[in-house]
């Protein structure tokens, strides 16, 4: 792996947004856009060096647009399955998946990804 290659940070939008009971369920798309915008402006402070951020959205949040600094990837079906596909396609680069979902953490861990909880990207 090239030391200059950015860490791929894959964020489980539904899980991260759902980690705080702030009314996100009234506007799932708006909540995902807010998370996207926070990631674009703040990045991932817990990860030193350059990062490539992929925000995976599903369901009512599908169709959220990418912005500079954050690529949004809409899952056609299961967001968890889509995240596993993104991780599997990363090759030998370093990957961090941000989620609290235990089963997803297990699945991406088997592929060699590191995992971190929602507080990594959301206070």
């Amino acid at each position: 792996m090239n030391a200059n290659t950015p860490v791929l940070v894959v964020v489980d939008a539904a899980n991260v947004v759902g980690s705080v009971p702030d009314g996100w369920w009234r506007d799932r798309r708006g909540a995902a856009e807010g998370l996207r915008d926070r990631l674009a402006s703040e990045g991932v402070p817990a990860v030193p060096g350059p990062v490539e951020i992929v925000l995976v959205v599903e369901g009512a949040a599908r169709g959220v647009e990418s912005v500079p600094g954050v690529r949004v990837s809409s899952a056609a079906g299961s967001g968890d399955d889509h995240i596993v596909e993104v991780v599997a396609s990363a090759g030998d680069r370093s990957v961090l998946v941000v989620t609290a979902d235990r089963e997803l953490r297990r699945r991406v861990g088997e592929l060699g990804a590191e995992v971190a909880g929602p507080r990594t990207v959301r206070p």
Side-chain angles (χ1 to χ4, degrees):
M1 184 178 80
N2 182 341
N4 295 324
T5 302
V7 174
L8 178 62
V9 179
V10 183
V11 180
D12 181 352
N15 188 268
V16 171
V17 165
S19 69
V20 177
D22 60 2
W24 59 264
W25 51 89
R26 291 188 288 268
D27 183 7
R28 293 170 192 259
R29 184 182 178 111
E33 289 171 335
L35 175 58
R36 175 205 60 199
D37 295 347
R38 184 178 315 109
L39 289 167
S41 68
E42 298 174 13
V44 185
V47 179
V51 297
E52 176 187 348
I53 301 171
V54 176
L55 180 66
V56 175
V57 297
E58 62 185 301
R62 258 187 224 113
V64 169
E65 298 292 325
S66 295
V67 296
V70 179
R71 177 169 54 96
V72 178
S73 186
S74 293
S78 161
D80 290 0
D81 290 346
H82 190 71
I83 290 168
V84 170
E85 291 170 8
V86 171
V87 171
S89 69
D92 65 351
R93 65 189 290 200
S94 294
V95 179
L96 173 68
V97 175
V98 180
T99 186
D101 182 302
R102 287 183 183 158
E103 176 61 15
L104 178 57
R105 291 169 72 101
R106 183 194 64 74
R107 292 173 68 192
V108 298
E110 289 176 352
L111 295 172
E114 297 292 323
V115 293
R119 289 188 180 185
T120 304
V121 297
R122 181 171 186 171

